Amino acid sequence: MSLFVHQMNTETTSNDAVVLLHGLFGQSSNLSRLAKQLSAQHRVLLVDLPGHGDSAAAPFHDLSTMAESVANGVFDAMREQGIERVSLFGHSLGGKVAMQIADRYPDMVTRLIVADIAPVAYAPSHLRIIDGLLKVSHSQVDSRRQADEVLQEFVDALGVRQFLLKNLAKQETGEWGWKFDVARLAQYYDELINAPQLSGVFSGDALFLKAERSDYITEDHRRTIDSFYPHAQYVTIFDAGHWLHAEQPDAVFEAVQCVLK
Protein backbone atom coordinates (compact mmCIF):
# COMPACT_ATOMS: atom_id res chain seq x y z
CA MET A 1 0.00 0.00 0.00
CA SER A 2 1.03 3.62 -0.49
CA LEU A 3 2.19 5.41 2.65
CA PHE A 4 2.69 9.17 2.66
CA VAL A 5 6.07 10.08 4.19
CA HIS A 6 7.28 13.68 4.10
CA GLN A 7 11.02 14.09 4.75
CA MET A 8 12.54 17.22 6.29
CA ASN A 9 16.19 18.28 6.65
CA THR A 10 17.52 15.61 4.31
CA GLU A 11 20.76 17.60 3.93
CA THR A 12 22.06 16.61 7.35
CA THR A 13 24.90 14.08 7.52
CA SER A 14 23.30 12.34 10.51
CA ASN A 15 22.41 8.70 9.89
CA ASP A 16 19.42 8.69 12.24
CA ALA A 17 16.02 10.41 12.11
CA VAL A 18 12.88 11.21 14.08
CA VAL A 19 9.60 9.72 12.85
CA LEU A 20 6.40 11.53 13.85
CA LEU A 21 3.08 9.65 13.97
CA HIS A 22 -0.24 11.45 14.54
CA GLY A 23 -3.36 10.18 16.25
CA LEU A 24 -6.77 8.83 15.24
CA PHE A 25 -8.72 11.04 12.79
CA GLY A 26 -5.62 13.19 12.29
CA GLN A 27 -2.94 13.68 9.65
CA SER A 28 0.76 14.41 9.52
CA SER A 29 0.19 18.17 9.32
CA ASN A 30 -1.10 18.04 12.93
CA LEU A 31 2.56 17.61 13.92
CA SER A 32 4.02 20.09 11.42
CA ARG A 33 5.05 22.62 14.08
CA LEU A 34 6.92 19.99 16.08
CA ALA A 35 8.46 18.69 12.85
CA LYS A 36 9.70 22.14 11.90
CA GLN A 37 11.20 22.70 15.35
CA LEU A 38 12.96 19.34 15.35
CA SER A 39 14.19 19.65 11.77
CA ALA A 40 16.58 22.42 12.80
CA GLN A 41 18.83 19.67 14.19
CA HIS A 42 17.40 16.34 13.03
CA ARG A 43 16.13 14.55 9.98
CA VAL A 44 12.37 14.27 10.38
CA LEU A 45 9.94 11.86 8.72
CA LEU A 46 6.30 13.00 8.92
CA VAL A 47 3.89 10.13 8.26
CA ASP A 48 0.19 9.86 7.49
CA LEU A 49 -1.09 6.71 9.19
CA PRO A 50 -2.85 4.19 6.90
CA GLY A 51 -6.33 5.37 6.05
CA HIS A 52 -5.47 8.95 7.04
CA GLY A 53 -4.36 12.00 5.07
CA ASP A 54 -2.64 11.03 1.82
CA SER A 55 -1.91 7.42 2.81
CA ALA A 56 -3.96 4.60 1.33
CA ALA A 57 -6.14 2.48 3.57
CA ALA A 58 -4.74 -0.82 4.82
CA PRO A 59 -6.65 -4.09 4.20
CA PHE A 60 -7.31 -4.28 7.94
CA HIS A 61 -7.07 -1.46 10.42
CA ASP A 62 -5.84 -3.35 13.45
CA LEU A 63 -2.74 -2.09 15.26
CA SER A 64 -0.51 -4.86 13.95
CA THR A 65 -1.35 -4.27 10.28
CA MET A 66 -1.13 -0.51 10.68
CA ALA A 67 2.28 -0.81 12.38
CA GLU A 68 3.60 -3.10 9.65
CA SER A 69 2.42 -0.72 6.92
CA VAL A 70 4.07 2.24 8.64
CA ALA A 71 7.28 0.31 9.27
CA ASN A 72 7.56 -0.74 5.63
CA GLY A 73 7.06 2.80 4.38
CA VAL A 74 9.47 4.29 6.90
CA PHE A 75 12.14 1.67 6.24
CA ASP A 76 11.92 2.38 2.49
CA ALA A 77 12.53 6.07 3.21
CA MET A 78 15.39 5.18 5.54
CA ARG A 79 17.13 3.13 2.87
CA GLU A 80 16.80 5.98 0.36
CA GLN A 81 18.42 8.44 2.77
CA GLY A 82 21.00 6.13 4.34
CA ILE A 83 19.28 6.28 7.72
CA GLU A 84 20.22 3.41 10.02
CA ARG A 85 17.98 3.90 13.06
CA VAL A 86 15.10 6.11 14.08
CA SER A 87 13.50 7.64 17.13
CA LEU A 88 9.74 7.16 17.09
CA PHE A 89 7.32 9.83 18.35
CA GLY A 90 3.66 8.90 18.42
CA HIS A 91 0.61 10.72 19.75
CA SER A 92 -2.42 8.68 20.89
CA LEU A 93 -3.08 6.03 18.20
CA GLY A 94 0.28 6.96 16.69
CA GLY A 95 1.85 6.15 20.04
CA LYS A 96 0.33 2.67 20.01
CA VAL A 97 1.61 2.15 16.46
CA ALA A 98 5.07 3.36 17.54
CA MET A 99 5.07 0.91 20.47
CA GLN A 100 4.11 -1.93 18.14
CA ILE A 101 6.92 -1.03 15.70
CA ALA A 102 9.51 -0.75 18.46
CA ASP A 103 8.48 -4.16 19.77
CA ARG A 104 8.70 -5.79 16.34
CA TYR A 105 11.87 -4.03 15.13
CA PRO A 106 13.87 -3.09 18.25
CA ASP A 107 17.18 -3.00 16.34
CA MET A 108 15.81 -0.22 14.11
CA VAL A 109 14.51 1.98 16.94
CA THR A 110 16.85 4.03 19.12
CA ARG A 111 14.24 5.51 21.40
CA LEU A 112 10.49 5.75 21.82
CA ILE A 113 8.53 8.91 22.66
CA VAL A 114 4.84 8.39 23.38
CA ALA A 115 2.42 11.29 23.83
CA ASP A 116 -0.59 10.73 26.10
CA ILE A 117 -1.33 7.05 25.56
CA ALA A 118 -0.42 3.80 27.32
CA PRO A 119 -0.03 0.19 26.09
CA VAL A 120 -3.51 -0.73 27.37
CA ALA A 121 -7.02 -1.20 25.99
CA TYR A 122 -9.31 1.82 26.28
CA ALA A 123 -13.05 2.21 26.57
CA PRO A 124 -14.84 3.17 23.31
CA SER A 125 -14.93 6.95 23.80
CA HIS A 126 -15.19 8.02 20.14
CA LEU A 127 -18.53 6.48 19.19
CA ARG A 128 -20.43 9.78 19.06
CA ILE A 129 -17.60 11.33 17.04
CA ILE A 130 -17.74 8.44 14.57
CA ASP A 131 -21.52 8.84 14.27
CA GLY A 132 -20.99 12.53 13.52
CA LEU A 133 -18.29 11.89 10.95
CA LEU A 134 -20.48 9.35 9.17
CA LYS A 135 -23.43 11.76 9.25
CA VAL A 136 -21.29 14.43 7.59
CA SER A 137 -20.22 11.91 4.93
CA HIS A 138 -23.84 11.10 4.15
CA SER A 139 -25.06 14.71 4.22
CA GLN A 140 -23.30 15.98 1.06
CA VAL A 141 -22.15 19.16 2.78
CA ASP A 142 -20.74 21.95 0.62
CA SER A 143 -18.61 23.78 3.20
CA ARG A 144 -16.81 23.32 6.52
CA ARG A 145 -19.39 25.58 8.14
CA GLN A 146 -22.18 23.26 7.05
CA ALA A 147 -20.19 20.24 8.22
CA ASP A 148 -19.69 21.92 11.59
CA GLU A 149 -23.45 22.40 11.91
CA VAL A 150 -23.93 18.67 11.37
CA LEU A 151 -21.15 17.77 13.83
CA GLN A 152 -22.58 19.97 16.60
CA GLU A 153 -25.33 17.40 17.14
CA PHE A 154 -22.68 14.83 18.06
CA VAL A 155 -19.66 16.78 19.38
CA ASP A 156 -20.14 19.63 21.84
CA ALA A 157 -16.51 20.73 22.16
CA LEU A 158 -15.61 23.39 19.60
CA GLY A 159 -11.90 22.51 19.77
CA VAL A 160 -12.60 18.86 18.91
CA ARG A 161 -14.81 19.87 15.99
CA GLN A 162 -12.15 22.26 14.71
CA PHE A 163 -9.55 19.47 14.91
CA LEU A 164 -11.79 17.11 12.94
CA LEU A 165 -12.73 19.72 10.35
CA LYS A 166 -9.08 20.23 9.43
CA ASN A 167 -9.45 16.83 7.76
CA LEU A 168 -12.39 17.90 5.58
CA ALA A 169 -11.37 18.82 2.04
CA LYS A 170 -12.83 19.21 -1.42
CA GLN A 171 -12.35 16.03 -3.44
CA GLU A 172 -11.48 15.70 -7.13
CA THR A 173 -15.20 15.27 -7.79
CA GLY A 174 -15.84 18.72 -6.30
CA GLU A 175 -17.62 17.24 -3.28
CA TRP A 176 -16.41 17.70 0.29
CA GLY A 177 -15.14 14.64 2.13
CA TRP A 178 -12.90 13.44 4.94
CA LYS A 179 -9.17 12.90 4.42
CA PHE A 180 -9.46 9.65 6.35
CA ASP A 181 -11.37 6.49 5.57
CA VAL A 182 -14.08 7.02 8.16
CA ALA A 183 -16.08 3.92 7.17
CA ARG A 184 -13.04 1.64 7.47
CA LEU A 185 -11.90 3.26 10.73
CA ALA A 186 -15.39 2.85 12.17
CA GLN A 187 -15.41 -0.81 11.10
CA TYR A 188 -12.12 -1.52 12.88
CA TYR A 189 -12.49 0.93 15.76
CA ASP A 190 -12.67 -1.84 18.38
CA GLU A 191 -9.29 -3.10 17.13
CA LEU A 192 -7.68 0.33 17.32
CA ILE A 193 -8.60 0.90 20.98
CA ASN A 194 -7.07 -2.43 21.99
CA ALA A 195 -3.68 -2.67 23.65
CA PRO A 196 -0.73 -3.17 21.29
CA GLN A 197 0.45 -6.78 21.20
CA LEU A 198 3.88 -6.44 22.80
CA SER A 199 6.00 -9.56 23.00
CA GLY A 200 8.98 -8.37 25.03
CA VAL A 201 10.76 -5.62 26.89
CA PHE A 202 12.08 -2.62 24.97
CA SER A 203 15.62 -1.97 26.18
CA GLY A 204 16.00 1.49 24.63
CA ASP A 205 15.12 4.86 26.12
CA ALA A 206 11.41 5.62 26.38
CA LEU A 207 9.69 8.88 27.23
CA PHE A 208 5.98 9.10 28.04
CA LEU A 209 4.39 12.54 27.91
CA LYS A 210 1.27 12.90 30.03
CA ALA A 211 -1.15 15.75 29.49
CA GLU A 212 -2.12 17.28 32.84
CA ARG A 213 -5.84 17.54 31.97
CA SER A 214 -6.10 14.07 30.44
CA ASP A 215 -6.73 10.63 31.93
CA TYR A 216 -5.13 8.67 29.08
CA ILE A 217 -2.14 7.87 31.32
CA THR A 218 -2.98 7.01 34.94
CA GLU A 219 -0.93 5.74 37.85
CA ASP A 220 -2.24 2.23 37.16
CA HIS A 221 -1.10 2.56 33.55
CA ARG A 222 2.41 3.39 34.72
CA ARG A 223 2.84 -0.08 36.16
CA THR A 224 2.02 -1.56 32.77
CA ILE A 225 4.32 0.90 31.01
CA ASP A 226 7.20 0.10 33.35
CA SER A 227 6.78 -3.63 32.72
CA PHE A 228 7.45 -3.16 29.00
CA TYR A 229 9.75 -0.13 29.20
CA PRO A 230 12.13 -0.46 32.16
CA HIS A 231 13.94 2.77 31.18
CA ALA A 232 10.74 4.80 30.88
CA GLN A 233 10.77 8.42 31.93
CA TYR A 234 7.68 10.55 32.46
CA VAL A 235 7.08 14.23 31.79
CA THR A 236 3.79 15.98 32.54
CA ILE A 237 2.79 18.70 30.07
CA PHE A 238 0.97 21.18 32.25
CA ASP A 239 -2.21 23.03 31.28
CA ALA A 240 -2.84 20.66 28.37
CA GLY A 241 -5.49 18.15 27.39
CA HIS A 242 -5.14 15.11 25.14
CA TRP A 243 -4.02 17.21 22.14
CA LEU A 244 -1.02 18.41 24.13
CA HIS A 245 1.18 19.10 21.08
CA ALA A 246 -1.42 21.62 19.86
CA GLU A 247 -2.14 23.20 23.25
CA GLN A 248 1.44 23.40 24.59
CA PRO A 249 3.69 22.97 21.53
CA ASP A 250 6.82 24.52 23.04
CA ALA A 251 6.65 22.39 26.19
CA VAL A 252 6.27 19.25 24.07
CA PHE A 253 9.19 20.27 21.86
CA GLU A 254 11.44 20.94 24.86
CA ALA A 255 10.62 17.54 26.38
CA VAL A 256 11.25 15.73 23.10
CA GLN A 257 14.43 17.65 22.36
CA CYS A 258 15.84 16.80 25.78
CA VAL A 259 15.51 13.05 25.23
CA LEU A 260 16.91 13.28 21.67
CA LYS A 261 20.15 14.92 22.80
Side-chain angles (χ1 to χ4, degrees):
M1 59 158 284
S2 175
L3 187 81
F4 174 80
V5 181
H6 175 57
Q7 303 184 44
M8 302 175 65
N9 191 9
T10 57
E11 297 80 14
T12 180
T13 58
S14 173
N15 61 1
D16 62 1
V18 185
V19 178
L20 304 183
L21 305 176
H22 63 81
L24 182 64
F25 305 131
Q27 56 185 315
S28 56
S29 62
N30 298 148
L31 296 169
S32 57
R33 177 167 176 168
L34 178 60
K36 185 176 181 180
Q37 290 173 310
L38 291 173
S39 67
Q41 297 184 33
H42 309 277
R43 293 179 192 249
V44 175
L45 304 181
L46 262 177
V47 177
D48 281 339
L49 293 180
H52 294 74
D54 292 320
S55 288
F60 302 99
H61 276 299
D62 59 1
L63 289 173
S64 180
T65 304
M66 190 171 282
E68 193 65 24
S69 297
V70 171
N72 289 336
V74 167
F75 294 160
D76 285 344
M78 290 170 64
R79 283 189 288 270
E80 291 174 3
Q81 294 295 326
I83 300 168
E84 296 178 359
R85 303 184 75 189
V86 295
S87 297
L88 293 177
F89 172 97
H91 170 247
S92 198
L93 173 61
K96 285 189 174 183
V97 172
M99 287 185 265
Q100 193 77 73
I101 294 172
D103 180 73
R104 192 168 297 174
Y105 302 102
D107 293 340
M108 305 292 288
V109 179
T110 304
R111 60 184 63 82
L112 184 66
I113 306 167
V114 178
D116 213 44
I117 202 76
V120 301
Y122 286 85
S125 60
H126 301 87
L127 298 180
R128 288 290 289 170
I129 290 177
I130 290 173
D131 287 343
L133 297 174
L134 291 170
K135 181 69 174 293
V136 170
S137 295
H138 298 148
S139 298
Q140 295 183 321
V141 299
D142 57 15
S143 68
R144 285 193 178 89
R145 175 176 294 182
Q146 193 175 84
D148 185 50
E149 292 173 356
V150 174
L151 274 180
Q152 285 182 41
E153 177 186 347
F154 302 88
V155 183
D156 292 331
L158 174 60
V160 175
R161 296 201 309 273
Q162 290 174 333
F163 163 76
L164 295 169
L165 289 169
K166 288 180 181 178
N167 296 275
L168 191 72
K170 190 169 286 189
Q171 312 294 309
E172 293 180 0
T173 60
E175 299 177 342
W176 287 80
W178 297 112
K179 292 194 70 177
F180 43 69
D181 189 340
V182 60
R184 187 75 64 87
L185 294 173
Q187 179 183 358
Y188 289 100
Y189 175 68
D190 288 344
E191 297 288 340
L192 298 179
I193 60 175
N194 273 337
Q197 299 301 304
L198 305 178
S199 60
V201 171
F202 181 69
S203 60
D205 293 333
L207 173 66
F208 284 77
L209 304 178
K210 173 183 165 44
E212 181 186 24
R213 292 187 278 101
S214 166
D215 59 2
Y216 274 75
I217 297 180
T218 66
E219 287 299 320
D220 286 341
H221 293 158
R222 287 196 180 199
R223 286 191 285 272
T224 303
I225 293 170
D226 290 340
S227 69
F228 289 112
Y229 306 100
H231 303 297
Q233 300 179 45
Y234 299 88
V235 172
T236 298
I237 304 299
F238 293 100
D239 195 23
H242 185 55
W243 284 278
L244 62 174
H245 56 284
E247 297 177 36
Q248 297 295 338
D250 291 334
V252 169
F253 166 67
E254 289 171 9
V256 172
Q257 182 72 340
C258 282
V259 79
L260 291 176
K261 289 180 178 178

mmCIF file of all heavy atoms in Angstrom, residues 14-44:
data_model
loop_
_atom_site.group_PDB
_atom_site.id
_atom_site.type_symbol
_atom_site.label_atom_id
_atom_site.label_comp_id
_atom_site.label_asym_id
_atom_site.label_seq_id
_atom_site.Cartn_x
_atom_site.Cartn_y
_atom_site.Cartn_z
ATOM 1 N N SER A 14 23.667 13.309 9.473
ATOM 2 C CA SER A 14 23.303 12.341 10.506
ATOM 3 C C SER A 14 22.680 11.102 9.871
ATOM 4 O O SER A 14 21.958 11.183 8.876
ATOM 5 C CB SER A 14 22.315 12.976 11.490
ATOM 6 O OG SER A 14 21.824 12.018 12.393
ATOM 7 N N ASN A 15 22.985 9.931 10.436
ATOM 8 C CA ASN A 15 22.410 8.697 9.892
ATOM 9 C C ASN A 15 21.245 8.184 10.736
ATOM 10 O O ASN A 15 20.905 7.004 10.694
ATOM 11 C CB ASN A 15 23.478 7.615 9.764
ATOM 12 C CG ASN A 15 24.108 7.239 11.101
ATOM 13 O OD1 ASN A 15 23.723 7.781 12.133
ATOM 14 N ND2 ASN A 15 25.066 6.334 11.074
ATOM 15 N N ASP A 16 20.648 9.066 11.542
ATOM 16 C CA ASP A 16 19.423 8.695 12.239
ATOM 17 C C ASP A 16 18.352 9.749 11.941
ATOM 18 O O ASP A 16 18.612 10.754 11.285
ATOM 19 C CB ASP A 16 19.649 8.538 13.750
ATOM 20 C CG ASP A 16 20.097 9.839 14.409
ATOM 21 O OD1 ASP A 16 20.219 10.854 13.704
ATOM 22 O OD2 ASP A 16 20.318 9.832 15.627
ATOM 23 N N ALA A 17 17.133 9.512 12.401
ATOM 24 C CA ALA A 17 16.021 10.406 12.108
ATOM 25 C C ALA A 17 14.959 10.271 13.179
ATOM 26 O O ALA A 17 14.961 9.325 13.970
ATOM 27 C CB ALA A 17 15.438 10.089 10.734
ATOM 28 N N VAL A 18 14.033 11.238 13.186
ATOM 29 C CA VAL A 18 12.876 11.214 14.077
ATOM 30 C C VAL A 18 11.634 11.016 13.223
ATOM 31 O O VAL A 18 11.412 11.753 12.250
ATOM 32 C CB VAL A 18 12.745 12.522 14.883
ATOM 33 C CG1 VAL A 18 11.614 12.409 15.893
ATOM 34 C CG2 VAL A 18 14.049 12.871 15.575
ATOM 35 N N VAL A 19 10.850 10.006 13.555
ATOM 36 C CA VAL A 19 9.602 9.716 12.848
ATOM 37 C C VAL A 19 8.439 10.195 13.711
ATOM 38 O O VAL A 19 8.361 9.859 14.896
ATOM 39 C CB VAL A 19 9.461 8.205 12.566
ATOM 40 C CG1 VAL A 19 8.130 7.912 11.880
ATOM 41 C CG2 VAL A 19 10.622 7.715 11.712
ATOM 42 N N LEU A 20 7.535 10.979 13.117
ATOM 43 C CA LEU A 20 6.397 11.530 13.852
ATOM 44 C C LEU A 20 5.101 10.893 13.353
ATOM 45 O O LEU A 20 4.805 10.914 12.151
ATOM 46 C CB LEU A 20 6.321 13.049 13.663
ATOM 47 C CG LEU A 20 7.566 13.864 14.041
ATOM 48 C CD1 LEU A 20 7.296 15.350 13.867
ATOM 49 C CD2 LEU A 20 7.998 13.570 15.479
ATOM 50 N N LEU A 21 4.325 10.337 14.293
ATOM 51 C CA LEU A 21 3.076 9.647 13.974
ATOM 52 C C LEU A 21 1.914 10.309 14.715
ATOM 53 O O LEU A 21 1.924 10.408 15.944
ATOM 54 C CB LEU A 21 3.166 8.171 14.374
ATOM 55 C CG LEU A 21 4.339 7.375 13.788
ATOM 56 C CD1 LEU A 21 4.338 5.948 14.358
ATOM 57 C CD2 LEU A 21 4.265 7.336 12.269
ATOM 58 N N HIS A 22 0.920 10.748 13.973
ATOM 59 C CA HIS A 22 -0.240 11.448 14.540
ATOM 60 C C HIS A 22 -1.247 10.461 15.106
ATOM 61 O O HIS A 22 -1.072 9.246 15.044
ATOM 62 C CB HIS A 22 -0.888 12.314 13.464
ATOM 63 C CG HIS A 22 -1.426 11.496 12.315
ATOM 64 N ND1 HIS A 22 -2.641 10.850 12.354
ATOM 65 C CD2 HIS A 22 -0.895 11.201 11.099
ATOM 66 C CE1 HIS A 22 -2.845 10.203 11.229
ATOM 67 N NE2 HIS A 22 -1.796 10.389 10.441
ATOM 68 N N GLY A 23 -2.346 11.000 15.617
ATOM 69 C CA GLY A 23 -3.363 10.177 16.248
ATOM 70 C C GLY A 23 -4.562 9.886 15.362
ATOM 71 O O GLY A 23 -4.602 10.249 14.180
ATOM 72 N N LEU A 24 -5.550 9.222 15.935
ATOM 73 C CA LEU A 24 -6.771 8.833 15.237
ATOM 74 C C LEU A 24 -7.496 10.066 14.698
ATOM 75 O O LEU A 24 -7.607 11.087 15.389
ATOM 76 C CB LEU A 24 -7.688 8.069 16.204
ATOM 77 C CG LEU A 24 -9.001 7.539 15.651
ATOM 78 C CD1 LEU A 24 -8.760 6.488 14.570
ATOM 79 C CD2 LEU A 24 -9.858 6.966 16.781
ATOM 80 N N PHE A 25 -7.984 9.965 13.470
ATOM 81 C CA PHE A 25 -8.715 11.035 12.786
ATOM 82 C C PHE A 25 -7.843 12.272 12.549
ATOM 83 O O PHE A 25 -8.358 13.370 12.373
ATOM 84 C CB PHE A 25 -9.984 11.441 13.554
ATOM 85 C CG PHE A 25 -10.920 10.313 13.855
ATOM 86 C CD1 PHE A 25 -11.425 10.133 15.130
ATOM 87 C CD2 PHE A 25 -11.280 9.410 12.871
ATOM 88 C CE1 PHE A 25 -12.294 9.083 15.413
ATOM 89 C CE2 PHE A 25 -12.143 8.354 13.149
ATOM 90 C CZ PHE A 25 -12.654 8.194 14.422
ATOM 91 N N GLY A 26 -6.525 12.081 12.540
ATOM 92 C CA GLY A 26 -5.619 13.195 12.289
ATOM 93 C C GLY A 26 -4.888 13.029 10.973
ATOM 94 O O GLY A 26 -5.275 12.233 10.110
ATOM 95 N N GLN A 27 -3.817 13.786 10.811
ATOM 96 C CA GLN A 27 -2.944 13.677 9.653
ATOM 97 C C GLN A 27 -1.593 14.250 10.027
ATOM 98 O O GLN A 27 -1.435 14.894 11.076
ATOM 99 C CB GLN A 27 -3.533 14.392 8.438
ATOM 100 C CG GLN A 27 -3.863 15.856 8.665
ATOM 101 C CD GLN A 27 -4.551 16.470 7.463
ATOM 102 O OE1 GLN A 27 -4.133 16.257 6.330
ATOM 103 N NE2 GLN A 27 -5.612 17.234 7.699
ATOM 104 N N SER A 28 -0.600 14.027 9.181
ATOM 105 C CA SER A 28 0.764 14.411 9.521
ATOM 106 C C SER A 28 0.901 15.904 9.783
ATOM 107 O O SER A 28 1.720 16.320 10.613
ATOM 108 C CB SER A 28 1.722 13.995 8.403
ATOM 109 O OG SER A 28 1.322 14.535 7.157
ATOM 110 N N SER A 29 0.087 16.722 9.129
ATOM 111 C CA SER A 29 0.190 18.170 9.324
ATOM 112 C C SER A 29 -0.136 18.593 10.753
ATOM 113 O O SER A 29 0.240 19.684 11.185
ATOM 114 C CB SER A 29 -0.720 18.915 8.342
ATOM 115 O OG SER A 29 -2.077 18.576 8.559
ATOM 116 N N ASN A 30 -0.839 17.725 11.517
ATOM 117 C CA ASN A 30 -1.099 18.044 12.929
ATOM 118 C C ASN A 30 0.198 18.201 13.716
ATOM 119 O O ASN A 30 0.218 18.863 14.757
ATOM 120 C CB ASN A 30 -1.932 16.957 13.593
ATOM 121 C CG ASN A 30 -3.297 16.762 12.982
ATOM 122 O OD1 ASN A 30 -3.831 15.658 12.971
ATOM 123 N ND2 ASN A 30 -3.888 17.826 12.441
ATOM 124 N N LEU A 31 1.274 17.572 13.235
ATOM 125 C CA LEU A 31 2.564 17.614 13.920
ATOM 126 C C LEU A 31 3.582 18.472 13.171
ATOM 127 O O LEU A 31 4.780 18.377 13.421
ATOM 128 C CB LEU A 31 3.107 16.191 14.092
ATOM 129 C CG LEU A 31 2.262 15.266 14.978
ATOM 130 C CD1 LEU A 31 2.738 13.829 14.863
ATOM 131 C CD2 LEU A 31 2.289 15.732 16.431
ATOM 132 N N SER A 32 3.098 19.325 12.265
ATOM 133 C CA SER A 32 4.018 20.088 11.423
ATOM 134 C C SER A 32 4.846 21.089 12.229
ATOM 135 O O SER A 32 6.017 21.322 11.913
ATOM 136 C CB SER A 32 3.249 20.818 10.318
ATOM 137 O OG SER A 32 2.259 21.667 10.858
ATOM 138 N N ARG A 33 4.263 21.681 13.282
ATOM 139 C CA ARG A 33 5.046 22.624 14.082
ATOM 140 C C ARG A 33 6.183 21.902 14.793
ATOM 141 O O ARG A 33 7.323 22.379 14.797
ATOM 142 C CB ARG A 33 4.154 23.350 15.086
ATOM 143 C CG ARG A 33 4.948 24.290 16.005
ATOM 144 C CD ARG A 33 4.060 25.231 16.769
ATOM 145 N NE ARG A 33 4.822 26.049 17.707
ATOM 146 C CZ ARG A 33 4.340 27.106 18.340
ATOM 147 N NH1 ARG A 33 3.089 27.496 18.127
ATOM 148 N NH2 ARG A 33 5.074 27.789 19.196
ATOM 149 N N LEU A 34 5.878 20.772 15.416
ATOM 150 C CA LEU A 34 6.917 19.995 16.082
ATOM 151 C C LEU A 34 7.968 19.537 15.072
ATOM 152 O O LEU A 34 9.171 19.574 15.355
ATOM 153 C CB LEU A 34 6.302 18.784 16.789
ATOM 154 C CG LEU A 34 7.268 17.838 17.504
ATOM 155 C CD1 LEU A 34 8.042 18.570 18.596
ATOM 156 C CD2 LEU A 34 6.506 16.651 18.098
ATOM 157 N N ALA A 35 7.527 19.127 13.890
ATOM 158 C CA ALA A 35 8.463 18.686 12.853
ATOM 159 C C ALA A 35 9.401 19.814 12.455
ATOM 160 O O ALA A 35 10.615 19.599 12.301
ATOM 161 C CB ALA A 35 7.686 18.185 11.636
ATOM 162 N N LYS A 36 8.862 21.010 12.285
ATOM 163 C CA LYS A 36 9.702 22.144 11.904
ATOM 164 C C LYS A 36 10.715 22.468 12.988
ATOM 165 O O LYS A 36 11.887 22.749 12.707
ATOM 166 C CB LYS A 36 8.821 23.362 11.609
ATOM 167 C CG LYS A 36 9.599 24.563 11.089
ATOM 168 C CD LYS A 36 8.670 25.700 10.716
ATOM 169 C CE LYS A 36 9.461 26.893 10.173
ATOM 170 N NZ LYS A 36 8.566 28.019 9.809
ATOM 171 N N GLN A 37 10.280 22.419 14.240
ATOM 172 C CA GLN A 37 11.197 22.699 15.346
ATOM 173 C C GLN A 37 12.319 21.663 15.402
ATOM 174 O O GLN A 37 13.496 22.000 15.552
ATOM 175 C CB GLN A 37 10.424 22.726 16.669
ATOM 176 C CG GLN A 37 9.500 23.924 16.832
ATOM 177 C CD GLN A 37 8.634 23.809 18.074
ATOM 178 O OE1 GLN A 37 7.987 22.784 18.314
ATOM 179 N NE2 GLN A 37 8.610 24.855 18.876
ATOM 180 N N LEU A 38 11.957 20.399 15.266
ATOM 181 C CA LEU A 38 12.956 19.336 15.355
ATOM 182 C C LEU A 38 13.897 19.322 14.157
ATOM 183 O O LEU A 38 15.071 18.941 14.269
ATOM 184 C CB LEU A 38 12.265 17.979 15.477
ATOM 185 C CG LEU A 38 11.522 17.702 16.777
ATOM 186 C CD1 LEU A 38 10.753 16.392 16.683
ATOM 187 C CD2 LEU A 38 12.485 17.660 17.961
ATOM 188 N N SER A 39 13.393 19.739 12.993
ATOM 189 C CA SER A 39 14.191 19.647 11.773
ATOM 190 C C SER A 39 15.363 20.618 11.752
ATOM 191 O O SER A 39 16.233 20.520 10.888
ATOM 192 C CB SER A 39 13.314 19.878 10.538
ATOM 193 O OG SER A 39 12.846 21.214 10.484
ATOM 194 N N ALA A 40 15.411 21.547 12.700
ATOM 195 C CA ALA A 40 16.584 22.425 12.796
ATOM 196 C C ALA A 40 17.840 21.626 13.120
ATOM 197 O O ALA A 40 18.950 22.022 12.752
ATOM 198 C CB ALA A 40 16.348 23.500 13.851
ATOM 199 N N GLN A 41 17.671 20.476 13.797
ATOM 200 C CA GLN A 41 18.827 19.673 14.190
ATOM 201 C C GLN A 41 18.747 18.215 13.748
ATOM 202 O O GLN A 41 19.748 17.500 13.813
ATOM 203 C CB GLN A 41 19.001 19.713 15.713
ATOM 204 C CG GLN A 41 19.290 21.096 16.278
ATOM 205 C CD GLN A 41 19.543 21.049 17.767
ATOM 206 O OE1 GLN A 41 20.077 20.083 18.305
ATOM 207 N NE2 GLN A 41 19.133 22.093 18.473
ATOM 208 N N HIS A 42 17.579 17.761 13.317
ATOM 209 C CA HIS A 42 17.396 16.340 13.035
ATOM 210 C C HIS A 42 16.719 16.136 11.684
ATOM 211 O O HIS A 42 15.951 16.982 11.231
ATOM 212 C CB HIS A 42 16.514 15.679 14.109
ATOM 213 C CG HIS A 42 16.942 15.935 15.507
ATOM 214 N ND1 HIS A 42 17.928 15.203 16.134
ATOM 215 C CD2 HIS A 42 16.521 16.858 16.420
ATOM 216 C CE1 HIS A 42 18.100 15.652 17.378
ATOM 217 N NE2 HIS A 42 17.255 16.652 17.567
ATOM 218 N N ARG A 43 16.993 14.996 11.061
ATOM 219 C CA ARG A 43 16.132 14.551 9.977
ATOM 220 C C ARG A 43 14.767 14.220 10.582
ATOM 221 O O ARG A 43 14.686 13.642 11.673
ATOM 222 C CB ARG A 43 16.667 13.273 9.333
ATOM 223 C CG ARG A 43 17.975 13.393 8.574
ATOM 224 C CD ARG A 43 18.328 12.025 8.050
ATOM 225 N NE ARG A 43 19.680 11.943 7.538
ATOM 226 C CZ ARG A 43 19.986 11.788 6.257
ATOM 227 N NH1 ARG A 43 19.018 11.707 5.364
ATOM 228 N NH2 ARG A 43 21.242 11.709 5.866
ATOM 229 N N VAL A 44 13.720 14.549 9.883
ATOM 230 C CA VAL A 44 12.370 14.271 10.375
ATOM 231 C C VAL A 44 11.573 13.593 9.267
ATOM 232 O O VAL A 44 11.617 14.021 8.101
ATOM 233 C CB VAL A 44 11.656 15.563 10.822
ATOM 234 C CG1 VAL A 44 10.207 15.266 11.224
ATOM 235 C CG2 VAL A 44 12.397 16.215 11.987
#
